[in-house]
Amino acid sequence: MALRVGLVGLPNVGKSTLFNAVSQAGAGAANFPFCTIAPNVGVVPVPDDRLDRLAELARPEKVVPTAIEFVDIAGLVAGASQGEGLGNQFLAHIREVDAVCNVVRCFEDDDVVHVAGSVDPARDIEVVTTELVLKDLETVERRLERARRAAKGSAKEAVKERDQLSALLDHLADGQVARTFPGELDPTLARELSLLTAKPVLFAANVAEDELGERGEGAGNAHVGVVRKIATREDAEVVVISAQVEAELAELDGAERAEYLADLGLDRSGLERLIEHAYTLLGLRTFFTAGPKEVRAWTVPAGSTAPRAAREIHTDFERGFIKAEVIAYDDYDRLGSEAAARDAGRLRIEGKDYVVADGDVIHFRFNV
């Protein structure tokens, strides 16, 4: 499955710099608003030490990591929900992503112009959130009018939908995001509404290189503390990142990257932490296939059964599913091969009800 994360935020907060760094796709980056007009899409391989280890053991002809798509969306301004700036394009592109990464400027630099004239994470987040909420209000109001007309005929489902939408409308009108709605919302209705503020959100607190701090937590940056408080309230997560550092890392090879990160007191790049948080946020799991031709990582939603996982490889694998031969990654790593795992009794035969665990190495048997 393709995972799409939209990078959003006000102009000149570092979105395009971050996008260029993590995807090396060459999106424009300059010191003026709306440098990015069309959404740039970069496909980034997901780093996974387990995949590297499996490739070391299996020595395949090809190694294929799973990937994440970063979509760099045009900078947002107040009034976007009414079409100001590039608002209509911005909001339409957000509907197409699985999660939103709100890049928030948490660094001071007189040479980089802020569209509002000063650095204020709370204000910037409020601008973005308000515009998304206003657009969701518009969506819910339209759907509620339809439900009210249908409910006049006393149709039970229409009455239920009307009541759910009325409660949701009140929640949004109070300035709250849809993902914190405490009431019950029918899953089908939720999918049809496709509310912008219902999407999982990560806040990327963009700090200067010398403000990353120990373990990249940005503890000495007061702006980061503000972002964390807001994230807690909005049921979101925070990743502290330096777009400038990521840009520099993108220019280095493996050994130089490791040395640079060590000098900064970090064991992982901001990109790796961002991807890890995105996977956690979306409840994703990784399984592997390994053989002499290819070692490959695959991504599925948590709770996926073996046939559902097989579908990621090919729909025929799900349709004609017979069984799954499963080796836990730790066993494969320890024993060194599929044959050794089989001989040690660590290869399991699982059926259609088996729920795939993170790190499983699987060979599917099927017949169509």
Side-chain angles (χ1 to χ4, degrees):
M1 61 181 292
L3 171 62
R4 292 169 61 89
V5 175
L7 299 178
V8 305
L10 297 185
N12 277 18
V13 298
K15 294 193 320 305
S16 293
T17 300
L18 177 59
F19 175 79
N20 288 347
V22 300
S23 71
Q24 299 181 8
N31 186 21
F32 56 87
F34 304 121
C35 177
T36 305
I37 297 177
N40 296 278
V41 179
V43 181
V44 186
V46 175
D48 194 322
D49 292 340
R50 298 172 300 181
L51 180 68
D52 297 337
R53 173 59 175 161
L54 289 172
E56 178 186 330
L57 294 172
R59 297 184 179 182
E61 297 175 10
K62 184 168 61 172
V63 180
V64 184
T66 189
I68 182 171
E69 292 184 6
F70 282 97
V71 184
D72 184 20
I73 301 172
L76 184 67
V77 294
S81 60
Q82 302 302 315
E84 290 294 326
L86 298 169
N88 289 330
Q89 295 180 44
F90 172 93
L91 297 168
H93 295 142
I94 291 178
R95 293 196 189 280
E96 300 172 2
V97 301
D98 301 301
V100 174
C101 178
N102 188 345
V103 183
V104 184
R105 180 169 169 175
C106 293
F107 66 90
E108 302 280 353
D109 188 338
D110 293 339
D111 293 330
V112 181
V113 179
H114 191 290
V115 69
S118 63
V119 177
D120 185 341
R123 176 203 58 213
D124 293 357
I125 291 172
E126 183 178 6
V127 169
V128 174
T129 302
T130 297
E131 295 307 318
L132 300 186
V133 168
L134 288 173
K135 199 65 178 180
D136 281 350
L137 273 168
E138 180 183 311
T139 300
V140 174
E141 284 172 342
R142 286 200 305 266
R143 183 62 179 255
L144 180 56
E145 284 302 311
R146 288 170 46 192
R148 282 171 174 161
R149 289 195 296 270
K152 289 180 180 179
S154 299
K156 184 177 179 181
E157 289 303 313
V159 171
K160 179 182 177 181
E161 180 175 310
R162 179 201 62 193
D163 292 344
Q164 290 181 355
L165 290 170
S166 294
L168 177 58
L169 187 70
D170 290 342
H171 180 76
L172 294 170
D174 195 36
Q176 304 300 309
V177 294
R179 63 182 170 277
T180 63
F181 178 57
E184 180 182 354
L185 198 62
D186 181 78
T188 300
L189 176 60
R191 285 194 300 272
E192 291 175 355
L193 289 172
S194 187
L195 297 179
L196 304 178
T197 64
K199 294 182 180 294
V201 168
L202 278 166
F203 288 112
N206 186 16
V207 303
E209 175 182 328
D210 59 0
E211 293 179 319
L212 278 170
E214 188 177 355
R215 296 186 300 278
E217 296 177 353
N221 186 307
H223 294 315
V224 173
V226 172
V227 176
R228 291 192 188 282
K229 289 181 181 179
I230 295 171
T232 298
R233 186 174 69 238
E234 293 196 4
D235 192 25
E237 295 191 30
V238 178
V239 177
V240 178
I241 195 167
S242 171
Q244 191 56 49
V245 167
E246 296 304 315
E248 293 170 2
L249 285 170
E251 301 295 326
L252 304 177
D253 62 24
E256 291 175 324
R257 281 171 54 87
E259 183 178 350
Y260 184 25
L261 286 170
D263 288 343
L264 293 172
L266 305 175
D267 57 358
R268 292 179 302 160
S269 70
L271 169 62
E272 290 172 308
R273 287 182 282 113
L274 187 62
I275 290 173
E276 179 182 311
H277 278 265
Y279 267 60
T280 300
L281 199 63
L282 292 169
L284 300 177
R285 300 290 183 268
T286 299
F287 74 91
F288 304 95
T289 51
K293 290 188 176 181
E294 178 184 271
V295 168
R296 184 164 184 160
W298 306 85
T299 301
V300 292
S304 293
T305 60
R308 169 65 183 83
R311 185 204 310 170
E312 292 299 315
I313 301 175
H314 198 285
T315 53
D316 284 349
F317 280 37
E318 179 182 33
R319 184 160 56 91
F321 179 89
I322 299 174
K323 63 182 179 180
E325 298 177 356
V326 182
I327 305 170
Y329 169 78
D330 287 344
D331 288 334
Y332 200 114
D333 176 35
R334 177 173 55 86
L335 296 168
S337 69
E338 177 181 328
R342 187 187 301 273
D343 291 343
R346 304 308 298 172
L347 185 151
R348 311 187 313 273
I349 304 300
E350 302 287 0
K352 293 182 177 181
D353 295 331
Y354 176 68
V355 175
V356 173
D358 191 60
D360 277 349
V361 182
I362 307 178
H363 179 69
F364 294 103
R365 298 290 185 183
F366 72 102
N367 183 35
V368 291

